[in-house]
Structures are given as structure tokens and as C-alpha cells.
Amino acid sequence: MLTGATLAVLLLLGALTQPPTEAGQAPRAVTDDAQTAATTLADATARYRAALAEAASATARAQQSRDAGHAAEADAATARTAVGSAAAAAYMSSAGQRWPVGRLSVDAPDATADVLHAQGLTEQLADARDADVARAGRAAVHAAQYTDEAAAAEDSATVARARAAAVLTEIHGIATTMDLRTSARWAGLSTTPASADQQERNATALTGWQTYLDRLVAAGITPPTATELADADDLPPGLAPLRDGSGTPVPGVASAYADGQVLTVLPAETVAAVSAALAQLGRPYLPGQSGPDGYDCAGLTSTAWTQAGLGIAGDLAGQWAQGTPVPRSQLQVGDLVFSTRWGSGLDDVGLYLGGTSVLSASADRWQVAVHDVGDLTTAVRVTVPAATPTPLPVATTGPATCSAPPPAPGTATSPAEAGWGGWSNGQIPADQLCGVAPGQRLRCDAAAAYGAMSAAYQAAFGSPLCITDSYRSFAAQVDAHVRKPRITAVPGTSNHGWGLAVDLCGGINVFGTAQTAWMQLNAGHFGWVHPDWAQARGQNPEPWHWEYGSLA
């Protein structure tokens, strides 16, 4: 009888194995060090995104300057109109109207006041006209300055976009020439913990992927680039079109005969993207993040494909628009599978791994994880870019939540308060938690963040974090509340019961120490916070109590 793990491996391999055709190709050059390659690609991805951000900022500045220039031109036009009206009025007026003081006469002393008043008005009009002339001149100068600023900002944006394109070309060159054995090691770099059943599922998917790459290596097959696989009628030597059940060629992939059977040959970019994503297994789910400490659903897929040399958007609608929709019958490993929930349009996305398995950073799992998706009908292939953007399959009416479960009406909106994984506070099975020290367990994303923080703390103080308490079962909460009713939460409400709180020692349990100062300065970078009530001037000062929240 097949176990779930064995079946999952067979599903992945089945997705990459097809009926027999022809032989493959020779392997390319080797990049030996997977960790170095991963670090190089991550650094290059950061440079790529920084250049894009610089281009976007410069483009925004250019638009602001253009808007300011248009306003200055409008101001100049208004001032010029006023000057023209004054000039026309002066032209139509008599000499006496233009120069009233000329009407002064010793023979008519009673008219002196009226003449002087008229002269004053004339001079005021002249001053107003001169002011309009000056205003028109200044506005024209400002308009020219804003035009120059807009042009300079556009030039900066162009330079930044060119730099981003150059970095992406650099990434593409590294990713698509990486030796398959290096890719396999890259995929296995993650050491972040997960719950026992999730760890098994993740490991099974990783093993299936590495087995596929090993089979390509054994067959001497090197995945071509997406460009080389773009035309099913003009494939590299040794490769044949891959066909679906109806005999229709599957776009963007090929097949090769090796060792008595046919393997699906994915593009080199897909190999890199899947390996990059698998290397993030177990990393925390963090809304709005695209690594390296954590990801949301679109952040993971964007990072994985960017590290493959195909820079895709960081939002779900943009990712949908950059690919070509594929039917379920033609799904291939690496395709982006979207889900729609709660009437908000596209809500989640992950990389297809074969069978019904998808790799994603979804909020309902709190980690980068492999899971089943029942609906695989909404998917795109980014290695086959759409000639024109495909309309969204459903209208988007709100921001994506990466499958975060909505709270029941009238209940709390915090995921911690609403529960996670189907368990209530203090009732979480031990195999759904991850160890951080002997006898101490946390929710696995919190455990991963705690481990990273402990390593940084050890670098500063020479020893890891000292911990006295972490996950607290409901019974343990009752016991603690009986013993310390004034300083413990009501049983069933403590963040210890969600596996999201720790009590620390070794100097952190005292205000004013170097250890406490280090935590105050650094813990937020790892997602750990000191709640207001526990601070020195809080309701219940507890320097030792820290909770897992979100990245600061």
C-alpha cells in the first residue's frame, strides 16, 4: 500500500514523465557552490528591485514636475491675459486717462483732489500691470525649470530601468546555466522547521523535485531556455514536443526519451524558479513581504521567478497579466496557480508541483509550505508571456489576503484570536509545533524567527537566548493562573496558548541590562515584540515576556 509521502513523490514524477519520444542533450557548465549561487542571485534580485524602485521614484518625480510645470504655465497664461487686458485698455484710453496729473491747473484748484485721486488709481493699475508682467515672467521661468526637472527625472528613470534590465540579464545568465546538481542542492538549502506532518509533505516534494533533476542529469539532458522552447516546431536537437491527452502540443515545454521512458523537459528558468521557491520552505508568512526573512503569496512567486531571470510583478493581477493562461490538462511544474476566495477576485497564488500540490506562502499555513489545491483551473505559464494581457478571470474588488480565513461575524479579526489550524488556544497538538530548546515549542513560523534571533543574540553575547517558557497548554495556563492570578492571562486567552509567546532569562528578565537593550533594539527585525503592557511603564511590567508579531 502506498503511503501519502510515496504517492506525492509519484505525482510529482508523473507530472514530469510522458510517453516515449527522442533523446536529450549534453549538460552545460557547472556552478559548484549552491549556497554561493543562492546568495549571488538573492543579492542580484535585491539590486534589481532597488533599481526598479529608483526608476519608479524618478518617474513619480517626473510626473510631479510635469504637473507643477502645467500649473506654472497656466499661471503664466493668466498673468499674460491680465497684462494684455491692461494694455488694451490703455490703448483705448485718452491721454488724460493715461496721465491724469496733466489735468492739474491753478485755474481749477477745486479739481485737484479728483485729479490726484485719478492719478493714484492710474498708478495702482500700472503697478498691478507691472506685477502681472513680473508674475508672468516668473511663472514662465518656473515652467521651464519644471520641464527641465521632469526631463532630468525621466532620464534618471531610464538609466535606472536600464540598470534593472542589465541586472535581470545577469540573473538570467546565472540561473539558466546553473548545473542541475547545483539546482538540486539549492532547492534543499532550507533548514527552517515546520510541523511534523508539514515537514514530511515538504520533504516529499523536495525529494520528488531533486529526483527529477537527478534523472535529467543521468540522462545527460540540459534544460533549454524558455526562448529555445518557444516554438514546438523548432526545438533543440534531441527534444520533441510534449503533447496533452488530445495530442495538442503543450507550449513552453518539451519531452526527451531517456532510460526507457520520456521525461518532461522544463525550461531552465522554471528549474531555477522551482528550486528558488523550495529553498524557502518553512519561512514565515509575512504580509507584504518578498523576502528574505518572510513572504506573502505574491512575494514568494515574484522572488522565485525573478531569481530565475524573469522579473514578474509583485502583485497577483500583475503576475496574471504577465503569463499565458493554461488549462488544467496542460499544467506543468512551475506554473502559477491562482485561487479566488471571499468574492475579492484573485486572492492567492503558488507554484504548481504536480498532482494537486502547490508551493505557496499562504496565510492559512503561516509558512512557505506545500499543500493541496482542489481547483487548478486558474493558472498561467510565465515562460510563455502573453502577447497581450489576458483579462482577469474575476473582477478584483479588494486586496489579496493570500487565503487568510475570514473571521466569523462578530468575532475577533486577529488570526491569533480567531484561531489557526483548527485548534483552540492551549489545545494545539505537539506535532503541529516546532522545538526551539529542550522542552520548549512554538508555532513553526515563530520558531523559525526565534531561531534566527537567537543566532544573532549569540553572535552578540556568546550564548543563545535563554528561555524558560513558550507554548503553554490550557492545563498549564490554568495551573499558572491559580498560582499567579494577578500576572497571568485568563486561561484560554494567553498568547502562550497559541505558541506565539516566550519568557526569556539570562539578563533579558531584568530591565536596564545590556541583554534587554539588545532585545529592544533588535527583536523587531525578527518579528518579536515587547507588548506595551509588559514594558517598564506598562500595566504589568515583564521584561522577560516577548511575543511574535510582524516584521518591524
Side-chain angles (χ1 to χ4, degrees), residues 418-497:
W420 62 275
W423 298 285
S424 57
N425 187 294
Q427 305 292 339
I428 303 170
D431 64 1
Q432 297 302 310
L433 300 167
C434 291
V436 294
Q440 306 295 341
R441 303 180 74 80
L442 294 169
R443 196 174 74 182
C444 292
D445 57 330
Y450 179 91
M453 181 170 66
S454 183
Y457 181 89
Q458 183 169 6
F461 293 99
S463 60
L465 288 169
C466 172
I467 182 170
T468 61
D469 200 8
S470 52
Y471 170 70
R472 197 179 288 167
S473 68
F474 185 80
Q477 292 179 56
V478 171
D479 176 69
H481 195 60
V482 168
R483 290 183 291 105
K484 310 173 195 177
R486 291 193 299 172
I487 63 171
T488 55
V490 174
T493 65
S494 170
N495 270 343
H496 283 287

Side-chain angles (χ1 to χ4, degrees), residues 377-421:
T377 58
T378 308
V380 298
R381 185 163 302 145
V382 297
T383 55
V384 183
T388 57
T390 305
L392 293 175
V394 286
T396 296
T397 59
T401 63
C402 296
S403 293
T411 64
T413 57
S414 163
E417 294 171 346
W420 62 275

